[in-house]
Amino acid sequence: MPRFSESIDFRPGARLPGTAHTPARLPRPDDPVHQRWLQMRNAQARVLQHNLRGVRKVHPHVDVRVAFRALPFTPPSKLYLLNGEEALFGYYLVTRREEEYESRTLEMYDALGSQSLLFSSLKRAGHRDAAFVEESQKWFDALWGTITTEMTLS
């Protein structure tokens, strides 16, 4: 039988996967590219929140906490840290493209997060991988604790 951690603390850093978007200027609230991005971000956040909280139903002894915070910029890479033992790292491949949204064609930059190849580093694989996992956690915690802000799902 698989063993499960007694708690899940899910803290996605910066932007959610596949939703990275940075305008060349500060977005106006009525900017359709920004509105599209907000809808995508909020939908993905709600799905993640729902699925992670659903773990409680299957494993009532597991403490599940979900928190979202936002960076003031879109990072050029993504990082998943798993139980302090593994880091999955990938580069966003930014491209300019068009997307249909509310009967309009929008031009935008897209990070294509779902197409990013992830590289795995396991703490137990040796000193280099262990150092990468540990430094990645320090980097994430530093961002989380300093320049991120509360993220409200609208």
Side-chain angles (χ1 to χ4, degrees):
M1 178 174 205
R3 293 187 47 172
F4 294 95
S5 171
E6 292 300 314
S7 73
I8 297 172
D9 186 10
F10 185 73
R11 304 179 302 161
R15 309 263 186 206
L16 296 174
T19 64
H21 139 270
T22 299
R25 65 199 183 299
L26 290 176
R28 296 181 325 270
D30 63 340
D31 179 6
V33 173
H34 185 67
Q35 289 300 315
R36 177 186 170 276
W37 172 79
L38 279 175
Q39 286 178 358
M40 288 175 54
R41 181 202 72 179
N42 291 342
Q44 290 184 4
R46 284 189 185 95
V47 168
L48 279 169
Q49 193 172 50
H50 172 79
N51 289 335
L52 288 166
R53 288 181 175 160
V55 169
R56 278 189 213 138
K57 292 177 182 162
V58 178
H59 304 284
H61 64 283
V62 175
D63 177 31
V64 178
R65 293 178 307 275
V66 180
F68 296 102
R69 294 184 67 79
L71 281 170
F73 58 87
T74 300
S77 59
K78 61 181 169 179
L79 172 68
Y80 299 95
L81 296 161
L82 309 172
N83 300 322
E85 296 298 319
E86 183 176 10
L88 299 170
F89 179 82
Y91 296 102
Y92 286 125
L93 304 174
V94 178
T95 187
R96 187 178 185 116
R97 68 185 189 94
E98 292 181 345
E99 176 79 22
E100 293 297 317
Y101 176 72
E102 294 184 351
S103 305
R104 298 170 66 173
T105 301
L106 303 176
E107 261 191 48
M108 65 185 72
Y109 290 103
D110 194 337
L112 302 176
S114 63
Q115 297 177 20
S116 299
L117 178 63
L118 292 175
F119 298 93
S120 173
S121 294
L122 293 167
K123 215 175 195 181
R124 67 178 179 269
H127 292 296
R128 181 177 293 178
D129 279 18
F132 183 78
V133 172
E134 290 167 10
E135 290 301 308
S136 294
Q137 185 69 58
K138 287 179 193 174
W139 176 80
F140 179 88
D141 291 342
L143 291 176
W144 186 271
T146 57
I147 64 173
T148 62
T149 56
E150 287 282 329
M151 191 172 95
T152 304
L153 299 179
S154 53

